[in-house]
């Protein structure tokens, strides 16, 4: 009961926070990822009929980096529970949910400067792409094209790896145009990781690139 009340109070307060303010309610946003780590917390945040996710999504556009990071990491932590939670989160998020989590990964203006925001959202997108409804929603919003654009300029390794795994789900669906299956070029970098069974070192390719590990994907980025 106490955790449920805490979630209710946090969401009720944050949803009314001024997204233009850089400091308004920042301390509360940092609690969200910790709540989402708990199975009961993830259940409460995605409880049907509560619309908590929909109410928090606007904070991804907040001037406050702390609120953007808290919201993004909350979404990632909910998804890490797997099971029904990713698709419950998707259903709760409303029509703006997928565009809101893709935009910061797309490289589009305004660019998202926080590695933690992009890492949290990329992790959530990766899990969503592994679910039937999540995959449908992502492809319906051209996530494959927008993530490819963002990937080209991305330098944060956890984001790169999450997008590559997401790309594998897109390719496995058989629903991408042929151009996405072309193996001849990957983002202009010679970055395919080479792993020797007798050697723990990994060659990440061209040092002039962002040091991507391709994790077996054939996605042309």
């Amino acid at each position: 009961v106490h955790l449920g009340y805490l979630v209710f109070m946090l969401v009720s307060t944050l949803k009314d926070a001024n997204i233009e303010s850089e400091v308004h309610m920042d301390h509360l946003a940092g609690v969200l990822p910790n709540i989402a780590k708990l199975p009961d917390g993830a259940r409460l945040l995605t409880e049907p009929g509560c619309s908590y996710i929909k109410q928090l999504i606007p904070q991804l556009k907040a001037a406050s980096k702390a609120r953007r990071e808290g919201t993004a990491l909350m979404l990632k932590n909910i998804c890490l529970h797997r099971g029904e939670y990713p698709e419950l989160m998707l259903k709760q998020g409303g029509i703006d949910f997928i565009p809101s989590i893709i935009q910061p990964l797309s490289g589009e203006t305004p660019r998202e400067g926080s590695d933690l925001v992009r890492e949290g959202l990329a992790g959530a997108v990766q899990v969503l792409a592994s679910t039937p409804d999540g995959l449908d929603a992502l492809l319906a919003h051209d996530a494959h094209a927008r993530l490819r654009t963002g990937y080209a300029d991305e330098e944060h390794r956890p984001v790169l790896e999450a997008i590559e795994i997401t790309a594998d789900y897109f390719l496995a669906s058989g629903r991408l145009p042929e151009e996405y299956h072309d193996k001849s070029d990957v983002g202009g970098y010679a970055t395919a990781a080479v792993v020797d069974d007798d050697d723990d070192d990994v060659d990440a390719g061209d040092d002039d690139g962002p040091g991507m590990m391709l994790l077996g994907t054939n996605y042309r980025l």
Side-chain angles (χ1 to χ4, degrees):
V1 176
H2 293 163
L3 183 59
Y5 181 73
L6 175 61
V7 170
F8 172 77
M9 291 302 297
L10 278 172
V11 176
S12 297
T13 304
L14 282 169
K15 74 180 179 65
D16 294 327
N18 182 0
I19 64 170
E20 301 298 329
S21 169
E22 294 188 359
V23 296
H24 192 198
M25 304 300 175
D26 282 6
H27 58 293
L28 296 181
V31 180
L32 291 173
N34 293 327
I35 290 177
K37 284 182 179 179
L38 303 171
D40 284 346
R43 177 182 58 79
L44 289 165
L45 286 165
T46 58
E47 191 170 1
C50 291
S51 69
Y52 289 151
I53 302 300
K54 183 177 181 180
Q55 294 176 56
L56 290 170
I57 282 298
Q59 295 304 321
L60 290 174
K61 297 181 179 179
S64 162
K65 183 173 75 168
R67 275 186 279 143
R68 298 197 313 274
E69 289 177 348
T71 303
L73 293 173
M74 173 198 71
L75 297 176
K76 177 183 177 180
N77 288 346
I78 289 173
C79 284
L80 291 180
H81 292 285
R82 301 281 178 163
E84 63 182 347
Y85 294 118
E87 293 194 343
L88 284 173
M89 184 178 73
L90 175 65
K91 291 174 182 177
Q92 262 212 40
I95 60 174
D96 293 329
F97 178 71
I98 293 295
S100 294
I101 65 174
I102 290 298
Q103 192 280 330
L105 300 171
S106 67
E108 300 165 1
T109 303
R111 297 181 66 87
E112 175 52 68
S114 168
D115 288 349
L116 279 179
V117 172
R118 299 194 314 279
E119 181 177 336
L121 295 179
V125 167
Q126 175 188 325
V127 176
L128 284 169
S130 72
T131 69
D133 288 349
L135 180 65
D136 288 346
L138 288 166
L139 292 177
H141 286 86
D142 294 324
H144 53 291
R146 298 177 71 189
L147 290 178
R148 179 171 67 170
T149 301
Y151 182 98
D153 295 324
E154 183 60 60
E155 297 183 354
H156 189 49
R157 183 179 294 275
V159 179
L160 292 168
E161 293 179 352
I163 293 177
E164 289 161 4
I165 296 171
T166 300
D168 281 336
Y169 288 121
F170 289 163
L171 286 168
S173 75
R175 294 159 62 181
L176 297 190
E178 184 60 32
E179 65 187 88
Y180 289 87
H181 296 260
D182 191 333
K183 302 179 184 179
S184 62
D185 175 46
V186 182
Y189 299 106
T191 52
V194 178
V195 181
D196 189 324
D197 290 339
D198 298 323
D199 190 347
D200 292 334
D201 294 333
V202 176
D203 178 5
D206 191 341
D207 289 339
D208 293 333
M212 297 175 288
M213 291 180 64
L214 296 186
L215 303 180
T217 184
N218 294 327
Y219 196 40
R220 179 176 178 174
L221 298 163

